[in-house]
Amino acid sequence: MDASGVPQLGDSCGLNLGALAGLHGLDFCQEFAGQLARGTGADLVTVGELRVRESRRIGVLASSFDGLPLGDFEYDIRGAPCRDVVLSAAPQVHPGRVPELYPDGGMFIEEGLRSYAGVALKDPGGAACGLVQAAWRENIGDGLAQQAVAVMQQFAPRLGAEIAGLRRLAALAALAAGPGSSCPRAAVRQIAQVLQGALRVRGAFVAECSAGRPDRGRVAACCIGGRLADAAEGRAVRYDAAGARLPNGWEAVQLPEGLRQALPQQPQNRARSLQFCFGYLLRDADGAVTGWLGLLHDRGIGAEALEPDLTALIAARCGQELRRCAARQRRQQAAAAQLVRHKAESLGRLAGAIAHEYNNLLAWMQGRAELAMANLEAAHPAEQHLQAVEQGLRASAGLVRQLTGFVRGASGPVPAPCDLNAIVHEAMELVPLACRKGKAVVLDLAEGVQAAHLDPEEVRELLLNLVLNAAEAIGPGAGTITVKTRRTCLDAAERRRLLKGRRMAAGDCLLLEVSDTGGGMGPDMLTRIFDPFYTTKPGGRGLGMAVALGIISRHQGGLSVESREGAGSVIRCYFPACAAAAAAVPPAAAGRTAAVRRILVVDDEDTVRRAVAGLLQLRGCEVAQADGYDAALALLDAKGPFDGAVIDMSMPGRGGWETLAGLRAAQPGLMAVMMSGFAISAAAAGFPDLADVQVLDKPFTKEKLYKALFR
């Protein structure tokens, strides 16, 4: 014993320092527990670490109970003297009266332990991480208790270091073992568990950053009290980069609210008492932030307690697994996109085949109905019935156009310089009279040619959908639909309001605006109007606005909607502008003559061919008919030359574009019009030099046919 009265190591407690000197880890802890029990006569000696659970628990690493080692076990410290040791981080000595002082002491009451001495084991930051304790079944003198405490205090740093080393080895072993599968997500979940267990915090999570946003991300894995918190996965989190910088890459930040909501609300451990103490940034080889590690605890954590070497290892492994997750996600997205493309291609082929056959039927019926109308006497009773048939045919054609609009995509006609004002005038001629009753359609068009890269047929379809929707929004009463065109330049505020096309190329653009005086739309309807098959109209198909959005997308344009209940709606479409000179002369208009008389009609469908021929004969044309490539070239050789040709695009064997190329090889400069139930551009078909040829979508009226041929 020294001058202060404290016994020297081994003096009074019978410790064999030589036997302890060569031991490490669990062997050291077990040997110390046995020697302390023999030296002090204690019935129970344990060395344990603090486990982080919903309630505080001690995991016993080494023990001596009635002279025998008990091995590893765990117990709840609530109501026991060891709880005071952990909470106060100060020694606790009770030479007697333990049952009276701790009546809920569980193990101590069951084993009849009456005296107690315990010392906290601390981490490098000074916080309790475990304890060493001794207990007796009889009352002991204060001197023996103080001797035991003195020995425990002197060995506490070594015991704490051994426990920290065991945790480090356990973490390394867990990391080396891997997740037990090739799934990187499982590996990230395991890392969260390793991090929480190795640092003995309440919880730990791994977040992966959103693309291009290092301060925002989503939880990839979260472990609370040794258990994975599945409810937290996928929650959005934000990293507050304004936190205080700490050594070894850690920063003090705030607890994300989403994680607070995900944590269990136990009465003895309110989740809102947790503090997100630290975040550790994960970076790729280029230094870009890819994610972060987060620690959750109910008290502060000293930066020196974060074990930088172990943390760096965990961070490196975590970064590797997050990269694997990202690579796997990219592969899955690519596979999903490929599947969507295959489905779209299959749907496109099916829709094209159906549209071609159906539109051929409509074209035949349209032609026959117009021929019947042309041969009726004035005020004939059948006239109104034939007009109704024509309206039904137009409605059917519109439905087919909407359906094929979903699958046309990149295979559709290629936009070319066009006059937007001219397209508006053409579209207004196609608006059914029944939709205009009681409604004024006002054209507010900018002066001069409004040139943009457009596909005329698709933009006409877009405008028709918008005008018809506006008429339906007004309802059966009177109202006004205004169609406006302007040359403009999108400012930043307008770009933010775009529903589609926020990344439009900078520069001039053309505005096509359709407004109405209808009842307007509420927020709920506004969020859904572009969903396919969403409609509020009885019997509606819900395709018009979805088709409109697809057309805008294919033109790389922009679209915004402004509407309030009771105040009408305004839909604005933006298209990239081009020089006015490019659209001054409509494609294929040059070189046409006003006296086209000898026409060759080529179509494999006899009914359609005869209907088109009949419409041309009404105009006084001499018509020759061919059912395909070979017959057309034979007629040209026998009865040519012709003033023009009307050719079906889709025919068995050699199609319409190849037929026209063969006819022009025999008669250079032959003026032609292509007709199709499902159009494929000349460029897509492999004939880019025929891109100036006008295409008529079946079914078409005689006026559209005459305009294409005789303009």
Side-chain angles (χ1 to χ4, degrees), residues 621-697:
C621 296
E622 177 187 338
V623 181
Q625 301 180 44
D627 62 1
Y629 178 90
D630 293 331
L633 263 65
L635 277 174
L636 180 64
D637 183 57
K639 299 183 178 181
F642 291 102
D643 297 318
V646 180
I647 306 170
D648 183 40
M649 186 180 295
S650 301
M651 295 183 292
R654 298 184 177 184
W657 292 115
E658 189 173 1
T659 298
L660 176 57
L663 292 173
R664 282 192 172 178
Q667 182 182 328
L670 174 66
M671 194 280 295
V673 172
M674 199 68 67
M675 55 182 178
S676 174
F678 189 72
I680 299 174
S681 69
F687 297 92
D689 54 325
L690 301 179
D692 63 336
V693 176
Q694 186 168 349
V695 177
L696 290 177
D697 284 338

Side-chain angles (χ1 to χ4, degrees), residues 467-538:
V467 170
L468 294 178
N469 276 353
E472 290 168 350
I474 293 172
T480 302
I481 302 169
T482 303
V483 179
K484 178 192 293 186
T485 61
R486 291 289 186 273
R487 192 177 187 93
T488 184
C489 184
L490 277 176
D491 58 23
E494 184 65 20
R495 281 180 186 275
R496 287 192 294 270
R497 288 194 290 269
L498 292 180
L499 298 177
K500 186 71 179 178
R502 294 183 181 180
R503 297 186 179 180
M504 277 184 64
D508 288 346
C509 59
L510 294 190
L511 167 66
L512 172 62
E513 179 182 291
V514 178
S515 59
D516 64 68
T517 58
M521 294 178 283
D524 292 341
M525 188 184 299
L526 270 175
T527 61
R528 300 195 60 192
I529 58 172
F530 295 103
D531 293 347
F533 310 112
Y534 172 75
T535 180
T536 59
K537 304 188 295 287

Side-chain angles (χ1 to χ4, degrees), residues 402 460-470 544-545 547-548:
Q402 288 180 342
R460 278 195 295 270
E461 178 70 16
L462 165 69
L463 184 53
L464 276 174
N465 282 330
L466 297 182
V467 170
L468 294 178
N469 276 353
M545 297 307 291
V547 169

Side-chain angles (χ1 to χ4, degrees), residues 222-259:
C222 183
C223 179
I224 305 297
R227 297 181 178 89
L228 288 169
D230 294 337
E233 293 186 13
R235 288 185 177 269
V237 290
R238 294 191 64 176
Y239 176 82
D240 183 3
R245 295 285 299 179
L246 297 171
N248 307 316
W250 291 89
E251 297 187 3
V253 291
Q254 297 295 318
L255 172 65
E257 189 66 25
L259 278 175

Side-chain angles (χ1 to χ4, degrees), residues 291-619:
W292 63 86
L293 306 177
L295 303 184
L296 300 151
H297 210 43
D298 57 359
R299 53 189 167 81
I301 303 175
E304 64 276 7
L306 297 175
E307 303 193 34
D309 294 339
L310 179 60
T311 303
L313 178 63
I314 293 175
R317 174 68 182 277
C318 187
Q320 176 188 15
E321 297 301 339
L322 286 181
R323 289 191 292 274
R324 287 182 62 209
C325 285
R328 183 172 185 169
Q329 185 177 16
R330 287 194 296 270
R331 289 194 298 271
Q332 290 173 341
Q333 290 173 342
Q338 183 69 17
L339 179 61
V340 170
R341 284 195 295 271
H342 286 165
K343 288 183 177 179
E345 290 170 1
S346 299
L347 180 61
R349 287 191 291 270
L350 177 62
I354 293 174
H356 175 70
E357 297 299 327
Y358 190 59
N359 282 331
N360 275 338
L361 292 173
L362 292 177
W364 165 60
M365 289 186 285
Q366 176 80 35
R368 289 297 184 177
E370 293 198 347
L371 286 172
M373 288 281 290
N375 287 283
L376 286 179
E377 297 176 359
H380 194 282
E383 183 176 3
Q384 60 179 340
H385 301 300
L386 286 172
Q387 288 176 344
V389 169
E390 284 190 314
Q391 290 179 0
L393 291 171
R394 291 193 186 100
S396 299
L399 175 59
V400 175
R401 283 196 300 271
Q402 288 180 342
L403 290 173
T404 56
F406 285 112
V407 295
R408 172 170 282 178
S411 65
V414 178
C418 298
D419 181 7
L420 180 58
N421 286 348
I423 294 175
V424 171
H425 284 297
E426 292 170 358
M428 290 302 99
E429 293 177 4
L430 301 177
V431 177
L433 293 177
C435 295
R436 297 195 186 194
K437 289 183 178 179
K439 302 169 185 68
V441 179
V442 178
L443 299 184
D444 180 10
L445 307 183
E447 294 183 1
V449 173
Q450 301 302 307
H453 291 280
L454 306 172
D455 176 86
E457 190 62 36
E458 286 206 331
V459 177
R460 278 195 295 270
E461 178 70 16
L462 165 69
L463 184 53
L464 276 174
N465 282 330
L466 297 182
V467 170
L468 294 178
N469 276 353
E472 290 168 350
I474 293 172
T480 302
I481 302 169
T482 303
V483 179
K484 178 192 293 186
T485 61
R486 291 289 186 273
R487 192 177 187 93
T488 184
C489 184
L490 277 176
D491 58 23
E494 184 65 20
R495 281 180 186 275
R496 287 192 294 270
R497 288 194 290 269
L498 292 180
L499 298 177
K500 186 71 179 178
R502 294 183 181 180
R503 297 186 179 180
M504 277 184 64
D508 288 346
C509 59
L510 294 190
L511 167 66
L512 172 62
E513 179 182 291
V514 178
S515 59
D516 64 68
T517 58
M521 294 178 283
D524 292 341
M525 188 184 299
L526 270 175
T527 61
R528 300 195 60 192
I529 58 172
F530 295 103
D531 293 347
F533 310 112
Y534 172 75
T535 180
T536 59
K537 304 188 295 287
R541 295 179 292 268
L543 292 174
M545 297 307 291
V547 169
L549 189 61
I551 292 172
I552 289 292
S553 299
R554 288 191 289 275
H555 282 79
Q556 298 180 341
L559 184 144
S560 69
V561 179
E562 181 182 321
S563 185
R564 269 194 342 268
E565 286 184 301
S569 302
V570 180
I571 297 180
R572 299 181 178 91
C573 305
Y574 298 90
F575 301 97
C578 63
V585 179
R592 294 185 182 177
T593 65
V596 177
R597 288 291 179 265
R598 303 190 72 250
I599 305 296
L600 174 63
V601 177
V602 186
D603 197 312
D604 61 302
E605 292 285 344
D606 179 65
T607 54
V608 177
R609 190 172 64 245
R610 290 167 61 189
V612 173
L615 294 176
L616 292 172
Q617 287 166 351
L618 282 179
R619 185 67 183 260

Side-chain angles (χ1 to χ4, degrees), residues 40-44 94-99 108 111-117 134-142 144-145:
T40 62
D43 297 294
L44 172 68
H94 300 289
R97 301 181 62 238
V98 167
F108 293 86
E111 299 298 335
L113 300 171
R114 297 195 57 81
S115 302
Y116 177 86
W136 297 261
R137 289 192 176 92
E138 59 184 19
N139 295 333
I140 64 172
D142 187 64
L144 178 59

Side-chain angles (χ1 to χ4, degrees), residues 46 68 70 103 121 189 205 224 257 334 352 376 404 422 605 710:
T46 67
L68 297 174
L70 293 180
L121 304 179
R189 289 161 64 90
F205 70 88
I224 305 297
E257 189 66 25
L376 286 179
T404 56
E605 292 285 344
F710 308 130

